[in-house]
Amino acid sequence: MADMKITMLGTGSPRPEVSRSGPAQIIEWNNNRILFDCGEGTTGQLLKAGYTPESVTHLWFTHLHSDHTFGYGQFLIGGWGRGRSELTVIGPPGTKAFHEKILDLYKEDIDYRCSLGRSEKGVKDVHVIEVEEPGKVENPLGVQASAAKMIHNVCTYGYRLEIDGQVLVISGDTAPHEGIVELAEDADLLVIDASLAAGEQSGALAKIWDHLQKEHCTAEQAAEIAEQAKVKKVIFTHFLPEVDTEKAYQEAKPLFSGELIIPEDLETYYVAKTTAELGG
Ligand SMILES: [Zn+2]
Ligand SMILES: [Zn+2]
């Protein structure tokens, strides 16, 4: 069995800050890698985590919000510049148009680099697959995967992957709902939006707090979902700069009987092995 692991490249939110990069995480098993989301700073975070961007040839978007896609131009063109010659991008409807707009924005730049002799492979022939409907996700890696619609303000997919008997679920951004509980049922690891984890609320944030409840989870809600789905381990993510992680942990822990992780950027976890099993 190939142990699957996940590195939390960016655990931040749309609000820029020093310690948390834009939303992104990468999974790895055997020599396979899939990047999930590509927020601001993802390429630099990949490098810091020991992954060359050109070695990452599969990217799945949960949704196309700016905080999950700002890093795409750099990942696409920077990775190509370093020698990536193929790339598959999977995401919700709109992913093709998004990719083509980025290509169009940088057309002159790309054409200039090609005129110097660089191959167009890996940039002009990107394989974009739109997941039209929830359900099975066809993918060139042949990974057993399914998508379910989350509750957010644009089409957002949570993904469930089963690889060598290990089950990983990534929620993307979502308010609490039955669909994420179903998707995550009995998973080894659930990575879930806990944007509304406790913290100091700035005035601007307080104004939209009620609205945010319709699109994201609090720490308690994320813990309740993990408990209802009977997942073994949960990782919270998508933190606002004001988050008080200690408080979030204290609020969530009594509601979840498995292992609860509130990560920092660049931390790596095994999907099926618990931290205790690893002696950590
Ligand atoms: Zn979002
Ligand atoms: Zn987001």
Side-chain angles (χ1 to χ4, degrees):
M1 185 176 95
D3 286 330
M4 189 181 7
K5 61 182 183 175
I6 184 164
T7 298
M8 303 302 295
L9 298 169
T11 59
S13 73
R15 292 167 188 249
E17 60 157 321
V18 171
S19 63
R20 295 191 190 274
S21 192
Q25 46 265 301
I26 187 168
I27 67 166
E28 183 179 15
W29 74 100
N30 289 335
N31 229 354
N32 301 300
R33 287 148 193 190
I34 304 175
L35 175 64
F36 284 89
D37 289 336
C38 196
E40 167 73 12
T42 296
T43 299
Q45 295 296 88
L46 280 169
L47 287 162
K48 285 181 198 161
Y51 292 105
T52 59
E54 64 272 29
S55 74
V56 181
T57 54
H58 298 269
L59 163 60
W60 295 25
F61 284 116
T62 59
H63 64 305
L64 300 172
H65 269 161
S66 55
D67 53 321
H68 296 250
T69 57
F70 268 144
Y72 184 62
Q74 172 68 308
F75 175 74
L76 173 68
I77 299 171
W80 170 64
R82 288 180 53 125
R84 189 198 292 121
S85 59
E86 57 180 316
L87 178 63
T88 298
V89 178
I90 294 178
T95 303
K96 273 183 190 154
F98 167 74
H99 165 76
E100 274 155 24
K101 276 180 189 156
I102 296 277
L103 275 189
D104 195 45
L105 270 177
Y106 294 107
K107 186 179 185 308
E108 259 186 54
D109 177 294
I110 293 167
D111 286 346
Y112 168 71
R113 292 170 202 278
C114 289
S115 77
L116 299 179
R118 187 173 294 164
S119 166
E120 294 180 356
K121 279 172 69 68
V123 70
K124 291 196 177 176
D125 60 351
V126 173
H127 184 200
V128 183
I129 301 169
E130 292 189 345
V131 180
E132 299 289 347
E133 295 289 336
K136 190 171 167 31
V137 178
E138 300 292 346
N139 63 92
L141 282 172
V143 168
Q144 193 182 332
S146 60
K149 271 230 175 105
M150 299 293 106
I151 306 282
H152 203 46
N153 61 51
V154 294
C155 178
T156 301
Y157 288 130
Y159 293 113
R160 178 184 178 105
L161 282 80
E162 309 199 21
I163 297 171
D164 284 349
Q166 302 153 91
V167 179
L168 167 70
V169 174
I170 291 178
S171 76
D173 291 3
T174 189
H177 67 123
E178 192 52 35
I180 180 62
V181 175
E182 281 170 19
L183 187 73
E185 194 176 0
D186 292 324
D188 292 294
L189 174 61
L190 166 65
V191 178
I192 188 166
D193 170 3
S195 299
L196 307 181
E200 285 286 308
Q201 264 185 40
S202 65
L205 203 54
K207 270 190 197 155
I208 58 167
W209 196 254
D210 283 349
H211 187 80
L212 290 176
Q213 308 277 342
K214 296 178 191 142
E215 296 172 359
H216 297 283
C217 295
T218 64
E220 292 99 322
Q221 287 165 340
E224 281 166 4
I225 289 164
E227 183 67 17
Q228 285 165 20
K230 301 187 196 69
V231 308
K232 296 185 185 71
K233 185 159 63 175
V234 67
I235 296 179
F236 287 179
T237 192
H238 207 280
F239 297 115
L240 293 162
E242 298 87 349
V243 68
D244 178 339
T245 52
E246 186 54 40
K247 201 170 165 197
Y249 186 89
Q250 296 306 335
E251 288 178 1
K253 188 68 194 97
L255 301 171
F256 178 57
S257 50
E259 183 181 355
L260 167 63
I261 296 162
I262 299 194
E264 301 296 329
D265 278 12
L266 302 175
E267 288 182 355
T268 298
Y269 296 94
Y270 281 89
V271 169
K273 287 180 180 164
T274 65
T275 307
E277 279 175 301
L278 292 165

